[in-house]
Amino acid sequence: MSTKSGKTLITANHTAPTADGALHAKRSPRTLAGSAQADDTAARKQTLALYETALKLMQAGKYEKAHSAFLQMLDTAPHDLADRIRMYIAACLSHVSKGTTSFETHEERYDYAISLLNHGRYDDAREHFEQILLKEKAADYAFYGLALLASITGDTQKCIDHLSEAIRLNAHNRFQARADSDFDGVAEDPRFTELLYPES
């Protein structure tokens, strides 16, 4: 699935925003003899630097930013850090969903609602999407997020309703939805097809 800015998020049902933090992309194989150790050392230093930064963000109460930093390093983190990183990811999400942190922009709240969605925390994700709409009624991306949520949870009618509104507010959402595998659950519904391909 994609964020409002068009960045692709790893999602729980296709690339692995597996929700638990199993955000694992395949690593490129090492082919040059002797390069692995040097590369691993450099990667570890970079990961540790990110780790320190994320911890400081947590200590400062900036849980949404700490969560983002922990996610960035999880894919390449050494085994001795990965479990701790997942623990901190869960802690950040808990603080965010309880409202113990503030968001500087609606887009930040959206990104974390998507993260909650990817982690299977559907009620929490819905609450954040709805919070955005309470303050910005024309937030097409929040309607898009609600459509994703409805698709994932098997509510076809709500999915179509929310996606229709997202497209009405921003036609780009139609093209984004065509490539979004999180809508696979409703892809066979004729109403969904008509919504995405009105010209056919």
Side-chain angles (χ1 to χ4, degrees):
M1 69 183 66
S2 298
T3 63
K4 176 174 178 280
S5 61
K7 297 179 292 184
T8 299
L9 277 97
I10 307 172
T11 58
N13 53 358
H14 50 283
T15 328
T18 59
D20 70 49
L23 309 164
H24 300 300
K26 292 182 179 178
R27 300 183 186 179
S28 300
R30 304 285 183 188
T31 56
L32 296 177
S35 65
Q37 185 174 359
D39 287 351
D40 288 348
T41 299
R44 183 178 178 84
K45 285 182 179 179
Q46 183 177 9
T47 299
L48 288 173
L50 276 172
Y51 184 77
E52 298 276 342
T53 299
L55 285 177
K56 289 177 181 178
L57 288 168
M58 275 194 76
Q59 291 166 0
K62 299 178 179 179
Y63 298 108
E64 69 281 0
K65 292 182 179 179
H67 175 266
S68 179
F70 282 125
L71 281 182
Q72 286 179 37
M73 73 185 79
L74 183 60
D75 183 48
T76 56
H79 294 299
D80 59 328
L81 279 181
D83 287 341
R84 274 182 284 172
I85 290 171
R86 291 190 185 93
M87 178 187 70
Y88 286 129
I89 286 172
C92 289
L93 284 173
S94 177
H95 283 290
V96 172
S97 64
K98 288 177 182 176
T100 54
T101 186
S102 60
F103 299 92
E104 295 179 5
T105 66
H106 295 319
E107 287 81 358
E108 272 191 8
R109 184 183 288 275
Y110 173 83
D111 286 344
Y112 284 90
I114 289 293
S115 180
L116 289 165
L117 182 62
N118 291 337
H119 284 71
R121 299 178 62 170
Y122 302 134
D123 290 339
D124 292 335
R126 180 182 292 106
E127 182 178 341
H128 282 285
F129 290 136
E130 290 174 349
Q131 283 294 319
I132 293 171
L133 290 171
L134 282 175
K135 297 179 180 179
E136 186 182 343
K137 293 181 180 179
D140 63 281
Y141 51 95
F143 282 109
Y144 189 91
L146 286 169
L148 288 171
L149 173 59
S151 174
I152 291 169
T153 56
D155 193 332
T156 301
Q157 185 59 57
K158 281 189 177 179
C159 174
I160 291 171
D161 290 345
H162 290 312
L163 187 57
S164 295
E165 185 64 10
I167 291 171
R168 185 186 72 80
L169 292 167
N170 182 352
H172 175 72
N173 287 313
R174 172 177 284 118
F175 304 105
Q176 182 167 314
R178 289 177 181 178
D180 201 327
S181 62
D182 281 319
F183 289 119
D184 286 353
V186 297
E188 299 302 318
D189 191 293
R191 294 169 298 170
F192 182 77
T193 304
E194 183 178 350
L195 179 61
L196 293 197
Y197 301 95
E199 68 278 4
S200 57

